[in-house]
Amino acid sequence: MRERTLERVRKLLAKAERTDNEHERATFMAAASALMAKHGIDSLPPAGTRQIPGDRIVTLPAPWAREKARLVSLVAQAVRCRPLLIGQGDGGQRVHVFGFAADLERADLLATSLLLQMASGLARVHPPADVAGVRAYRRSWLLGFTDEVYRLLCAAESRAAEAGTGAALVLADRRAEVERAVADRYPRVRMSVPRTSGTGYRHGVAAGRRADLGRTGMSSACAGELT
């Protein structure tokens, strides 16, 4: 990401972090996510320009390793990368992410921020007194948070793509290139859908809606553990 754009995102995030007003926070969040989505479109090469997708493996440690991996996967998918859950290894759940450099960078930045925000949000969660299974409640909260963040990111990406002149054809070509890279590495891919058994999903969705979608600073391992 260009340094000037990154600095603008940092300033928006700093404002979001300083305010206790949820409406102001949501406004700064929306601006940061929109700016990152626009950068993704502005970074597209001219039609017909050939680039080669890259890839990286991210390892998410316990606790809540599978839920962290799902967040990383959906964030990557929202910003036009192709994630695959490849199971346990290196001390955690692994996600193999394929994509072009600018999109991998955006996925990296966003996933780091959202892992931290999800951990912070979960630490503040107090399950209702009538909840039978606290762990199930917390897990469903994590799934709700992730699904709402994914929805918001996809909406921002869609708006940016619609505003970009001639972006649709280039995006389709790049998507095909990424899928070919995945197929070369993993000829057989099995789809799976997580099950939700707790009652915290709705509260997780609400927390995801308030998430700041542009905070920066991810390492290739993990940005912190959920408690």
Side-chain angles (χ1 to χ4, degrees):
M1 182 178 294
R2 296 172 183 172
E3 187 59 35
R4 182 178 178 182
T5 301
L6 184 56
E7 184 60 27
R8 290 177 64 191
V9 171
R10 284 173 175 158
K11 288 180 179 179
L12 286 168
L13 296 174
K15 291 179 179 178
E17 291 166 0
R18 285 195 298 263
T19 182
D20 293 328
N21 186 303
E22 289 296 337
H23 295 291
E24 290 181 354
R25 181 179 173 84
T27 298
F28 295 137
M29 173 206 73
S33 58
L35 185 59
M36 294 190 77
K38 183 177 184 300
H39 169 76
I41 296 300
D42 291 345
S43 299
L44 294 176
T49 302
R50 179 69 187 277
Q51 292 184 336
I52 299 176
D55 67 289
R56 61 184 60 173
I57 294 177
V58 182
T59 302
L60 293 310
W64 303 108
R66 291 180 64 86
E67 288 71 28
K68 291 177 186 176
R70 185 168 183 270
L71 174 68
V72 169
S73 296
L74 287 184
V75 168
Q77 186 173 313
V79 297
R80 300 194 299 272
C81 294
R82 179 69 160 87
L84 283 89
L85 293 170
I86 57 176
Q88 293 184 339
D90 300 324
Q93 289 287 332
R94 296 172 300 160
V95 182
H96 199 164
V97 183
F98 293 78
F100 289 92
D103 296 331
L104 285 171
E105 181 182 28
R106 294 191 304 134
D108 200 42
L109 296 171
L110 285 166
T112 297
S113 169
L114 290 166
L115 282 168
L116 291 169
Q117 292 182 62
M118 190 163 71
S120 176
L122 187 64
R124 295 192 300 267
V125 165
H126 298 290
D130 59 348
V131 168
V134 172
R135 181 174 176 81
Y137 176 92
R138 290 179 179 273
R139 180 175 181 273
S140 63
W141 186 96
L142 294 172
L143 296 178
F145 178 94
T146 297
D147 285 353
E148 182 63 11
V149 162
Y150 174 69
R151 185 190 69 79
L152 293 171
L153 285 175
C154 285
E157 293 292 320
S158 178
R159 288 191 295 269
E162 290 172 0
T165 304
L169 181 60
V170 177
L171 289 175
D173 289 343
R174 287 163 70 86
R175 189 177 302 112
E177 288 281 354
V178 172
E179 290 295 339
R180 279 193 288 270
V182 173
D184 288 344
R185 189 68 175 271
Y186 300 99
R188 300 177 66 181
V189 176
R190 181 171 60 88
M191 304 298 291
S192 64
V193 178
R195 297 179 179 178
T196 304
S197 59
T199 58
Y201 187 91
R202 178 171 54 85
H203 294 155
V205 167
R209 191 171 297 131
R210 296 190 297 269
D212 184 336
L213 301 182
R215 189 173 178 181
T216 62
M218 186 170 189
S219 67
S220 60
C222 181
E225 295 188 4
L226 300 182
T227 57

